[in-house]
Amino acid sequence: MVVLALNYREGPTSIREIAGKENISPQYLEQIFLDLRRAELVNSVRGAKGGYKLARPPSEINIGDVVRTLEGPIAPMECVAEGSEGDCCERTQECLTRGVWEKLRDRMNEVLDDISLEDMISSRNINP
Amino acid sequence: MVVLALNYREGPTSIREIAGKENISPQYLEQIFLDLRRAELVNSVRGAKGGYKLARPPSEINIGDVVRTLEGPIAPMECVAEGSEGDCCERTQECLTRGVWEKLRDRMNEVLDDISLEDMISSRNINP
DNA sequence: AAAAAATCCGAGTAATATACTCTGATATAA
DNA sequence: TTATATCAGAGTATATTACTCGGATTTTTT
């Protein structure tokens, strides 16, 4: 996603190109981008000269969206994952640790939702 | 650890007792407490009528210490784990995502280091 | 029209981490 | 002496995760 952000003004970027730069297998990257497209974080262009583009400007895509798309809901413990409320154990009432995990989960989301792709590439080091 | 905090003024609490209350196998709990003892978060008393006690008052033990003891260094990515600096990939220089993981790691530690066992048991609900 | 370059998609594999168990030794109280 | 504990290291089993494979579809280039 950082590579796509850097290429935002250009045409679509192919998996092959990104895979080469980041030293990831093209086949694996493909899986990842399918998920990103289904989440509408990127658009795809099929066929020769095709590839992927960010669906929105880098400033409007935050890391929280990317991470949650690829890794699922952020949660230090299963029982505080968004969508699985109460599924995990029956003692949510008396559980004294649950509050800790909820607080941690919320802070984690805050940190990630507060950083955009734009932030990441504008604070970049020397090498492009 | 919450159970030990609740029992802080009493004598040592046995694994059997805690395992029963929390519905964990005594054998597994045993492994956990060995680690906690080696980290000097609890003291042990061997033999009949033995068990474990907190090594310090509940207000002086925070969740960060407990979690790091049992789960290892807190790190959303291997490469930002305390002690494995630079081991993970060679491109730490040009890596634009590393900063995100470092920030997240730091906030996670802050949250956990800011909550003591005392905090957890004093905000407790109805059932003891 | 044919070939090449790319995404799409579902299914499968393999290594690893994690949760958990087993067996036996040692220490202490009753 | 017996019962009740912790101590300790090794082993197992399940689930997750990272990753691969084969083939279909779409678009550009020749």
Side-chain angles (χ1 to χ4, degrees), chain A residues 30-44 52 69:
Chain A
E30 209 171 286
Q31 299 306 315
I32 293 173
F33 270 107
L34 284 180
D35 288 339
L36 291 170
R37 182 186 56 98
R38 291 183 186 122
E40 298 183 339
L41 292 175
V42 300
N43 296 324
S44 65
Y52 291 92
T69 295

Side-chain angles (χ1 to χ4, degrees), chain A residues 4-19:
Chain A
L4 290 195
L6 289 168
N7 292 0
Y8 182 59
R9 308 215 156 266
E10 336 260 315
T13 310
S14 74
I15 281 178
R16 276 247 316 253
E17 192 180 332
I18 304 174

Side-chain angles (χ1 to χ4, degrees), chain B residues 50-122:
Chain B
Y52 292 92
K53 274 183 66 66
L54 293 186
R56 294 169 269 153
S59 61
E60 292 177 26
I61 296 180
N62 65 51
I63 309 306
D65 291 333
V66 177
V67 171
R68 282 185 300 267
T69 295
L70 298 178
E71 313 270 333
I74 285 167
M77 291 287 286
E78 192 66 30
C79 60
V80 298
E82 222 74 57
S84 71
E85 307 291 342
D87 296 8
C88 145
C89 66
E90 323 76 32
R91 45 231 318 275
T92 63
Q93 199 65 322
E94 73 245 51
C95 178
L96 297 181
T97 58
R98 192 188 176 82
V100 174
W101 307 133
E102 287 172 342
K103 186 168 189 174
L104 182 55
R105 174 200 62 193
D106 293 343
R107 290 292 163 286
M108 290 175 75
N109 277 304
E110 274 175 32
V111 169
L112 295 178
D113 286 339
D114 190 48
I115 305 175
S116 69
L117 289 176
E118 178 63 33
D119 294 330
M120 292 180 67
I121 64 176
S122 62

